[in-house]
Amino acid sequence: MSDFVGPFIDAFNENVKQEADKQITDQVDHYKNRVSETQQNASELLSALSEEHTKAQKQMADKMEKMIDNSVAMLDKALRARIDSVPDDLFTDPKELHNRIKAKIQEIETTQARFAEEKQQWIQDDERIAKWLGRPWKSLQNTQDFDEKAHNYFSSDLQFITIKVDDRIFRTYRKTMAQVSDSKIAQLFRGTLEDKNLLEFDEKTNVYILNCNPHIFAQILDILRTKQTAHIELTGALVAALDEFGILRHFYPALNVDTLQSQQLQCASVSEPASPAYDKEYHVVFR
């Protein structure tokens, strides 16, 4: 009896095993397909979100660019209108002129600070969204043209810069320092020449640090601003500084440096401390 039933039982067990294997295989394939579909859907959703964010970012960059262009155009138009409306007698009252210039400087610095805050907030939002999407931050940056344009504007001749000389602070336009285009001082403040012994830029405070006699630099800045030299007492220290910055011959074309007494020019130094006695001792004397 056992020999008769045994083959049937073996066949039954084999059929059960085959059916179980088939069901397990079908279930595994089913779950694999579900996982693959889920991954595909997630990838498509992530790509759609990324494209939507990139598009929105580009639109925002275009909007900001137009806003900056419009603001610059309006400021330029307003500036020209104000220049045309400036009364001639304003320049007869230096104190009033100084107060108005100081107020305008504060207004410009406030506007620049507001632009910087808005841009920083924009960058922080982009970084947060990129992190949420699980994408590298740099892959979502499409603001290079905007950043370059903003950089070119704020590093242009229209920028108001701060210069620290010892314990004195000077503020002026970059174009004032760079007006003699082929001079050393122009190249230094335009960044085309590097001389860390003479000029350094502190990126944290956005201040230029100049290694110079502050009293002499004040005279040089006065010459650059007014383009006049008749009111300036020409001393050996001033001559040496003007020559060091490459603007001596521009403002004193009739002055022959070779005819100056060599002893006086040797005593003069751009970075020596200012003192009335020093300036009085070394006057320029022609042979």
Side-chain angles (χ1 to χ4, degrees):
M1 184 69 177
S2 148
D3 294 338
F4 177 76
V5 176
F8 288 99
I9 294 175
D10 292 340
F12 177 76
N13 289 335
E14 183 66 24
N15 289 335
V16 171
K17 181 179 179 182
Q18 290 178 357
E19 184 65 24
D21 290 342
K22 183 176 181 301
Q23 289 182 1
I24 292 174
T25 302
D26 291 342
Q27 287 293 331
V28 169
D29 292 339
H30 175 71
Y31 285 122
K32 284 183 177 179
N33 292 334
R34 290 285 302 276
V35 170
S36 178
E37 290 176 0
T38 302
Q39 290 177 339
Q40 180 66 26
N41 293 336
S43 178
E44 292 176 356
L45 178 61
L46 187 62
S47 297
L49 289 173
S50 178
E51 291 177 1
E52 183 179 352
H53 171 72
T54 301
K55 182 179 179 180
Q57 189 183 43
K58 187 177 184 304
Q59 291 175 347
M60 180 63 70
D62 293 339
K63 182 179 179 181
M64 288 292 294
E65 183 176 356
K66 291 179 180 179
M67 289 176 60
I68 289 178
D69 288 340
N70 292 335
S71 297
V72 172
M74 291 176 61
L75 287 173
D76 182 67
K77 183 177 179 180
L79 178 61
R80 293 179 184 277
R82 290 185 181 184
I83 291 176
D84 294 338
S85 63
V86 172
D88 295 336
D89 58 353
L90 178 63
F91 295 97
T92 62
D93 186 357
K95 185 176 181 180
E96 176 65 19
L97 179 60
H98 172 76
N99 291 336
R100 292 197 182 188
I101 291 175
K102 187 175 181 180
K104 184 54 61 178
I105 291 171
Q106 293 176 348
E107 180 181 341
I108 292 174
E109 290 178 344
T110 300
T111 302
Q112 289 181 343
R114 179 169 55 84
F115 280 162
E117 290 177 359
E118 290 178 357
K119 181 183 175 184
Q120 185 62 32
Q121 184 61 48
W122 184 20
I123 291 174
Q124 291 176 356
D125 291 342
D126 284 345
E127 287 182 305
R128 180 172 53 82
I129 293 173
K131 184 178 181 180
W132 180 80
L133 291 174
R135 291 295 185 89
W137 160 233
K138 291 184 179 179
S139 67
L140 297 178
Q141 286 183 313
N142 292 317
T143 59
Q144 294 180 357
D145 293 339
F146 168 78
D147 288 340
E148 182 177 357
K149 186 167 186 177
H151 172 75
N152 290 338
Y153 172 74
F154 288 115
S155 63
S156 68
D157 288 348
L158 296 176
Q159 184 189 13
F160 207 79
I161 60 176
T162 301
I163 306 169
K164 182 177 180 181
V165 186
D166 287 350
D167 58 346
R168 293 185 62 180
I169 300 297
F170 299 87
R171 294 184 176 89
T172 186
Y173 287 105
R174 188 186 302 277
K175 66 180 180 180
T176 301
M177 306 306 300
Q179 60 184 274
V180 185
S181 58
D182 59 343
S183 65
K184 182 176 181 179
I185 194 171
Q187 296 175 25
L188 286 171
F189 281 95
R190 281 209 171 120
T192 57
L193 176 66
E194 183 176 354
D195 186 349
K196 292 187 177 181
N197 292 326
L198 188 57
L199 181 70
E200 288 190 273
F201 181 70
D202 188 342
E203 295 182 355
K204 294 183 179 179
T205 60
N206 291 328
V207 172
Y208 286 93
I209 301 174
L210 182 65
N211 181 22
C212 182
N213 181 326
H215 176 66
I216 296 300
F217 180 73
Q219 293 179 300
I220 293 175
L221 184 57
D222 191 24
I223 293 174
L224 290 169
R225 282 172 170 167
T226 64
K227 300 179 179 60
Q228 302 291 328
T229 59
H231 64 294
I232 300 294
E233 182 181 11
L234 193 61
T235 64
L238 180 58
V239 169
L242 290 169
D243 189 50
E244 170 73 14
F245 289 134
I247 55 177
L248 177 61
R249 297 187 185 279
H250 179 82
F251 289 104
Y252 293 91
L255 180 64
N256 187 348
V257 181
D258 296 334
T259 64
L260 298 177
Q261 292 184 359
S262 59
Q263 180 183 358
Q264 293 168 349
L265 290 182
Q266 290 173 357
C267 291
S269 172
V270 174
S271 58
E272 288 183 5
S275 68
Y278 173 82
D279 287 336
K280 183 177 180 181
E281 182 180 356
Y282 299 105
H283 288 284
V284 174
V285 178
F286 293 92
R287 292 185 185 278

